[in-house]
């Protein structure tokens, strides 16, 4: 009885092996690879696109795809519409169309399309729009933005404004905080003057431009340059003890070539340390303060 069972199991095992051996004959009727149409990446160069007053810039979009039969590459101007420069848009056949030989594996392609931009084109956010069609008619799309802007021109030289130029004391700090009684504090900061391109400066009150129309030199405009160092200037040091209303002058610091300054003082009482630049005939004064607590231990 045992031998009969064993014989039956062997026969079943052999039958299973025969089925496994025969399986590939049926698999040959099915595609070995199922296409997966995708737009993998869109690169735009250069980005941003900076156009000069006279001249043009060529912009190239490079698109990487997978398993696509065809691809179109368009460029859209801000708020819709195409480029309209006469070059047209790119349409490419990439792989075998429906009905041709089946895919045996993933098919990757890279295609590029270029356009020419000049001063007449709109500034702002442009878009490269890509649409693709897979071997079975599947549609995919993707976008990539890029910025077009005009090269800024510095304002024409004009007469110097009248009145003092704005200054500030930046990054003033009295450290360490708190400090032990009798120990030294380090007072440091930087004296700076406000400047725009073309050597224009601000008035003291609210950074109002001292030339041209109102708001001409606002900080969010490209003509705003930066704060610049102001070296070889005297900055006075003052101390206001806690509970007092009378400032006491402690000494004077001269700014370094880069506008920075630093000095050490001993701290015996809690209070406010201040630094003050009195200004000159051409430079507006400025000041800054920092409170420091003095502890015994």
């Amino acid at each position: 009885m045992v031998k009969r069972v064993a014989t039956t199991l062997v026969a079943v095992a052999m039958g299973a092996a025969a089925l496994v051996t025969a399986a590939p004959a049926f698999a040959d009727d099915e595609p070995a690879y199922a296409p997966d149409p995708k737009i993998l990446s869109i690169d735009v160069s250069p980005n941003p696109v900076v156009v000069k007053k006279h001249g043009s810039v060529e912009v190239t979009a490079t698109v990487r795809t997978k398993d696509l039969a065809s691809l179109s590459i368009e460029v859209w101007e801000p708020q819709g519409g195409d480029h309209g420069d006469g070059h047209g848009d790119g349409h490419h056949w990439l792989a075998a169309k429906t009905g041709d030989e089946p895919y045996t594996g993933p098919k990757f392609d890279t295609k590029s399309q270029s356009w020419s931009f000049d001063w007449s084109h709109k500034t702002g956010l442009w878009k490269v729009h890509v649409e693709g069609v897979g071997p079975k008619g599947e549609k995919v799309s993707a976008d990539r933005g890029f910025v077009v802007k005009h090269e800024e021109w510095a304002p024409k030289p004009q007469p110097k404004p009248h009145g003092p130029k704005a200054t500030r004391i930046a990054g003033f700090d009295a450290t360490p905080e708190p400090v032990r009684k009798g120990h030294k504090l380090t007072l440091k900061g930087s004296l700076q003057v406000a400047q725009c391109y073309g050597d224009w400066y601000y008035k003291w009150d609210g950074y109002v431009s001292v030339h041209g129309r109102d708001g001409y030199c606002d900080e969010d405009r490209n003509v705003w340059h930066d704060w610049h160092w102001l070296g070889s200037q005297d900055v006075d040091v003052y101390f206001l003890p806690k509970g007092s209303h009378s400032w006491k002058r402690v000494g004077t610091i001269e700014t370094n070539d880069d506008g920075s300054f630093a000095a050490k003082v001993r701290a015996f009482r809690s209070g406010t340390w201040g630094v003050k630049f009195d200004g000159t005939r051409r430079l507006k004064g400025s000041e800054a303060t920092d409170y420091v607590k003095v502890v015994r231990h």
Side-chain angles (χ1 to χ4, degrees):
M1 185 65 178
V2 174
K3 291 182 178 180
R4 291 178 181 177
V5 172
T7 303
T8 303
L9 291 175
V10 170
V12 171
M14 292 180 63
L19 289 175
V20 171
T21 303
F26 295 100
D28 289 340
D29 295 334
E30 299 177 2
Y33 172 77
D36 182 22
K38 287 182 180 179
I39 297 171
L40 300 177
S41 66
I42 306 172
D43 295 317
V44 181
S45 180
N47 186 14
V49 181
V50 182
V51 182
K52 296 183 178 181
K53 184 73 173 180
H54 303 287
S56 61
V57 178
E58 184 177 87
V59 179
T60 300
T62 302
V63 182
R64 292 183 65 250
T65 65
K66 176 187 176 185
D67 298 345
L68 290 185
S70 65
L71 181 75
S72 66
I73 307 174
E74 302 175 346
V75 62
W76 292 354
E77 66 182 17
Q79 299 179 350
D82 58 16
H83 183 43
D85 63 353
H87 290 277
D89 300 316
H91 189 90
H92 308 272
W93 288 107
L94 301 179
K97 294 180 290 183
T98 305
D100 290 345
E101 295 182 3
Y103 281 66
T104 58
K107 179 164 180 67
F108 298 97
D109 283 285
T110 301
K111 296 297 179 182
S112 297
Q113 184 71 22
S114 298
W115 304 270
S116 182
F117 284 81
D118 57 36
W119 195 267
S120 66
H121 291 104
K122 292 181 180 179
T123 59
L125 181 63
W126 287 65
K127 181 189 299 183
V128 172
H129 179 71
V130 179
E131 293 185 0
V133 179
K136 296 182 179 180
E138 312 97 316
K139 294 183 179 181
V140 293
S141 64
D143 297 317
R144 177 65 184 269
F146 64 97
V147 176
V148 175
K149 59 183 179 180
H150 292 165
E151 183 181 62
E152 296 294 339
W153 294 83
K156 296 180 179 179
Q158 299 184 35
K160 294 288 184 180
H162 298 288
K165 305 168 186 178
T167 66
R168 72 173 184 178
I169 296 177
F172 176 63
D173 188 27
T175 185
E177 301 178 48
V179 64
R180 296 178 66 177
K181 184 176 181 179
H183 284 220
K184 289 185 177 181
L185 279 173
T186 298
L187 309 178
K188 59 183 179 180
S190 179
L191 181 62
Q192 301 174 343
V193 61
Q195 185 180 28
C196 287
Y197 287 118
D199 204 30
W200 293 110
Y201 292 81
Y202 286 100
K203 285 183 180 178
W204 177 248
D205 52 345
Y207 303 103
V208 178
S209 173
V210 295
H211 77 288
R213 58 188 181 277
D214 291 340
Y216 178 77
C217 207
D218 290 339
E219 188 169 353
D220 61 350
R221 293 177 59 89
N222 290 333
V223 291
W224 162 255
H225 194 60
D226 206 346
W227 288 92
H228 284 257
W229 51 264
L230 195 54
S232 302
Q233 303 294 324
D234 289 337
V235 175
D236 293 325
V237 179
Y238 292 85
F239 180 64
L240 177 66
K242 181 179 179 181
S244 175
H245 300 284
S246 178
W247 287 88
K248 179 182 178 181
R249 183 176 176 277
V250 177
T252 301
I253 313 172
E254 183 175 350
T255 60
N256 299 317
D257 291 342
D258 62 357
S260 65
F261 61 84
K264 291 186 179 294
V265 295
R266 290 192 180 276
F268 296 96
R269 297 180 59 183
S270 298
T272 302
W273 292 89
V275 285
K276 181 181 179 183
F277 172 60
D278 288 331
T280 65
R281 185 172 63 87
R282 296 184 177 182
L283 297 172
K284 185 72 176 181
S286 54
E287 58 189 41
T289 61
D290 190 19
Y291 179 83
V292 176
K293 181 179 181 180
V294 173
V295 296
R296 293 185 177 183
H297 301 287

